Amino acid sequence: MKHTKIHCFLLLVIISLQTALAGEFMTNIYGRNLQSLNGKWNAIIDLYDQGRKNKIYLNKKPQGKTDFYEYSFENGLRLNVPSDWNSQNPELKYYEGTVWYARRFDVQQVENKRLFLYFGAVSYRCKVYLNGIEIGSHEGGFTPFQIEVTNQLNATDNFLAVEVNNTRTADAMPAMAFDWWNYGGITRDVFLVSTPQTFIEDYTVHLDKYKADRINATVKLSAGSVNSPVVIEIPELNVKHKLTANEKGMAAISFNVKKIERWSPQSPKLYKVIITSGNDKVEELIGFRNLYVKGIDIYLNDKPIFLKSVSFHEEIPQRKGRAFSEADAAMLLTEAKALGCNMIRLAHYPQNEYTVRMAEKMGFLLWEEIPVWQGINFENKDTKAKAGNMIQEMIMRDKNRCALTFWGVANETQPSAARNEFLKYLINCCHEIDTTRLLTSAFDLVRFNKEKTMFEMNDPFIKELDVVAINKYMGWYHSWPVSPDKAVWNVAPDQPLIISEFGGEALYGQSGDENVASSWSEDYQAKLYRDNIAMFSNIPNLRGVSPWVLFDFRSPFRFHPTNQDGWNRKGLVSDQGFRKKAWYIMRDYYKTK
Ligand code: GCB
């Protein structure tokens, strides 16, 4: 008995160590053998955090005459997974705290397989219990994690409980206040994944940064796969390469290809790539393109490109909830396509894989970032480590998406030694996994210099980045110091620059004076867009713009009772899905680019 306990303890330590590491999940989850655990889960609201102490994850039932338990997962609240809890029950609209989720399941295939629980995202932190034992934990509301459960599962009637907490804390990312809704819950797909005993854990397949006919590929097999064979195939390109993994399970190859059609927004061509090793086989669609910066230009497939971007949150405004499905991705992306965009800035955190994969198929370049959004405690070493984990989890998940153009390390940070060290650490974390993408960060430090009558910025950190991104709300948070067509910029003159946010608020259907911000009118917002577009021609190194924001979105600190009512109204499209006047101005501008 004692031995079993010690054994269990060691096993638990090993499991929790595994789950604490960033990026410890298999590449291309949708290409694996999956059993969905989505659907209705039972739930218990645990405002005072008493559930763990009372071990409700054991889900005990009275046996003897004197037994009773002051909880039961059955016959109570039921919540959809994936989804946020806030939009499912009026009492949970503003809820910040703990909710327990639980469900039972049988295992569909077990023979000689390894089994993993995979969570697409749980917002914001969680502990996972299987058949009464804590098996792992995760922090960070927008990235996946997996836990191996091969030896913990029964063939039938497993009891899975997840303790989810979305309390805002100063050491988290985002931290105490942020301009979007703090949705909690199991917000993305949950799967039971089965693999052979040794399996293809990870791989990267992409076109060389500069060479249009050279593909670089790496494959990593799970532990114990010494000298195993690996085959990489791209049938449409007549590619079939046989490799042998080294003692660490790694194999790498560079090879030339003839007549490859490169992926671009105009022609988002993807190829089927098949990786095989022993009993394991994974395939997915992968695109190939070259991407680099030269001087003040961004080159896609050896031609300078202007980025016609837009941002959206992972939210369906009409449902007042988190986006989580393919249908949700289609709704958001179709509206961006209609605007004429060739890029999306996924604000302000890694969004779900349906959106990322569909965006790539539709021909959008992507900017993905982690929620290092204002107010982050750069002095806190734990926060820094967590940010490093988050950025690596994001890159591990999406590194084979050729659409991925930018990794964003932060949004609106103020210069300090601690900030610089923190962001440099994040850049190193990115480079450990991927050196092919462009690195950027959005700054809000551009100021008008009255003597020189120019916009300028002083933040030496920009030299660490490939592309400099500026959020500047001319006509909204800042009044015009000169007329827009005279507003000359001298910001990061030797680097490509993107206006990563601009805009102003308007209530859909409201008309008013186009010169009065407090009219909250579509007319004011439309004029603001015309003015900003006039200014853009005075920014010599401007290589892209991204209006803020595609849709009105929910934000608890937007207090104006009639014009905002808990919504940030900077959308080009209203919460009901109607286009505002500024939408047409932006679409016409993009037509000219
Ligand atoms: C910003 C932030 C964005 C906000 C926006 C606003 O600078 O980056 O997250 O929502 O301004 O509307 O104020």
Side-chain angles (χ1 to χ4, degrees), residues 17 34 153 183 252 331 347 431 452 490 570:
L17 278 177
L34 303 176
L153 280 174
Y183 290 113
M331 191 294 268
H431 283 158
K452 295 194 202 155
N490 180 28
K570 293 192 187 70

mmCIF file of all heavy atoms in Angstrom, residues 17 34 153 183 252 331 347 431 452 490 570:
data_model
loop_
_atom_site.group_PDB
_atom_site.id
_atom_site.type_symbol
_atom_site.label_atom_id
_atom_site.label_comp_id
_atom_site.label_asym_id
_atom_site.label_seq_id
_atom_site.Cartn_x
_atom_site.Cartn_y
_atom_site.Cartn_z
ATOM 1 N N LEU A 17 5.136 17.979 -13.700
ATOM 2 C CA LEU A 17 6.290 18.627 -14.317
ATOM 3 C C LEU A 17 6.095 18.706 -15.819
ATOM 4 O O LEU A 17 6.346 19.705 -16.437
ATOM 5 C CB LEU A 17 7.567 17.845 -14.010
ATOM 6 C CG LEU A 17 8.186 18.128 -12.646
ATOM 7 C CD1 LEU A 17 9.406 17.248 -12.427
ATOM 8 C CD2 LEU A 17 8.557 19.591 -12.520
ATOM 9 N N LEU A 34 -8.752 11.428 -32.902
ATOM 10 C CA LEU A 34 -9.377 12.190 -31.810
ATOM 11 C C LEU A 34 -10.714 11.604 -31.376
ATOM 12 O O LEU A 34 -11.504 11.167 -32.204
ATOM 13 C CB LEU A 34 -9.656 13.631 -32.269
ATOM 14 C CG LEU A 34 -8.481 14.447 -32.776
ATOM 15 C CD1 LEU A 34 -8.971 15.807 -33.262
ATOM 16 C CD2 LEU A 34 -7.435 14.624 -31.678
ATOM 17 N N LEU A 153 -6.506 5.790 -17.310
ATOM 18 C CA LEU A 153 -7.869 5.669 -17.831
ATOM 19 C C LEU A 153 -8.440 4.276 -17.653
ATOM 20 O O LEU A 153 -7.716 3.277 -17.737
ATOM 21 C CB LEU A 153 -7.875 5.986 -19.323
ATOM 22 C CG LEU A 153 -7.868 7.469 -19.688
ATOM 23 C CD1 LEU A 153 -7.713 7.622 -21.187
ATOM 24 C CD2 LEU A 153 -9.140 8.162 -19.217
ATOM 25 N N TYR A 183 -13.872 36.647 -20.272
ATOM 26 C CA TYR A 183 -14.623 35.387 -20.384
ATOM 27 C C TYR A 183 -13.898 34.274 -19.638
ATOM 28 O O TYR A 183 -12.686 34.124 -19.753
ATOM 29 C CB TYR A 183 -14.759 34.974 -21.851
ATOM 30 C CG TYR A 183 -15.677 35.869 -22.660
ATOM 31 C CD1 TYR A 183 -15.168 36.662 -23.683
ATOM 32 C CD2 TYR A 183 -17.037 35.898 -22.402
ATOM 33 C CE1 TYR A 183 -16.011 37.470 -24.440
ATOM 34 C CE2 TYR A 183 -17.885 36.716 -23.155
ATOM 35 C CZ TYR A 183 -17.363 37.491 -24.160
ATOM 36 O OH TYR A 183 -18.197 38.279 -24.906
ATOM 37 N N ALA A 252 16.136 15.907 -39.761
ATOM 38 C CA ALA A 252 16.013 17.193 -40.450
ATOM 39 C C ALA A 252 16.488 17.050 -41.880
ATOM 40 O O ALA A 252 17.376 16.243 -42.162
ATOM 41 C CB ALA A 252 16.841 18.253 -39.728
ATOM 42 N N MET A 331 -17.762 33.706 -39.874
ATOM 43 C CA MET A 331 -18.457 34.987 -39.711
ATOM 44 C C MET A 331 -17.447 36.137 -39.625
ATOM 45 O O MET A 331 -17.550 37.134 -40.339
ATOM 46 C CB MET A 331 -19.313 34.922 -38.431
ATOM 47 C CG MET A 331 -20.303 36.057 -38.246
ATOM 48 S SD MET A 331 -19.600 37.683 -37.997
ATOM 49 C CE MET A 331 -19.488 37.818 -36.233
ATOM 50 N N ALA A 347 -6.294 40.222 -32.260
ATOM 51 C CA ALA A 347 -6.125 40.969 -31.020
ATOM 52 C C ALA A 347 -6.768 40.184 -29.872
ATOM 53 O O ALA A 347 -7.833 39.620 -30.049
ATOM 54 C CB ALA A 347 -6.813 42.327 -31.148
ATOM 55 N N HIS A 431 12.694 33.110 -30.869
ATOM 56 C CA HIS A 431 13.795 32.628 -31.721
ATOM 57 C C HIS A 431 14.219 31.205 -31.402
ATOM 58 O O HIS A 431 14.729 30.510 -32.271
ATOM 59 C CB HIS A 431 14.993 33.582 -31.634
ATOM 60 C CG HIS A 431 14.768 34.819 -32.450
ATOM 61 N ND1 HIS A 431 15.436 35.995 -32.226
ATOM 62 C CD2 HIS A 431 13.929 35.060 -33.491
ATOM 63 C CE1 HIS A 431 15.015 36.911 -33.090
ATOM 64 N NE2 HIS A 431 14.103 36.357 -33.866
ATOM 65 N N LYS A 452 9.526 71.026 -34.456
ATOM 66 C CA LYS A 452 9.837 70.446 -35.776
ATOM 67 C C LYS A 452 8.580 70.211 -36.608
ATOM 68 O O LYS A 452 8.668 69.804 -37.759
ATOM 69 C CB LYS A 452 10.546 69.107 -35.580
ATOM 70 C CG LYS A 452 11.912 69.204 -34.924
ATOM 71 C CD LYS A 452 12.630 67.869 -35.108
ATOM 72 C CE LYS A 452 13.710 67.670 -34.075
ATOM 73 N NZ LYS A 452 14.010 66.270 -33.821
ATOM 74 N N ASN A 490 8.069 61.253 -38.715
ATOM 75 C CA ASN A 490 9.470 60.830 -38.768
ATOM 76 C C ASN A 490 9.677 59.818 -37.634
ATOM 77 O O ASN A 490 10.317 60.084 -36.635
ATOM 78 C CB ASN A 490 10.381 62.052 -38.601
ATOM 79 C CG ASN A 490 11.839 61.664 -38.659
ATOM 80 O OD1 ASN A 490 12.194 60.671 -39.301
ATOM 81 N ND2 ASN A 490 12.683 62.429 -37.973
ATOM 82 N N LYS A 570 -15.803 51.215 -31.263
ATOM 83 C CA LYS A 570 -14.910 51.602 -32.373
ATOM 84 C C LYS A 570 -15.085 50.686 -33.585
ATOM 85 O O LYS A 570 -14.378 50.821 -34.583
ATOM 86 C CB LYS A 570 -13.453 51.609 -31.906
ATOM 87 C CG LYS A 570 -13.180 52.701 -30.881
ATOM 88 C CD LYS A 570 -11.715 52.927 -30.622
ATOM 89 C CE LYS A 570 -11.529 53.897 -29.465
ATOM 90 N NZ LYS A 570 -11.912 53.326 -28.152
#
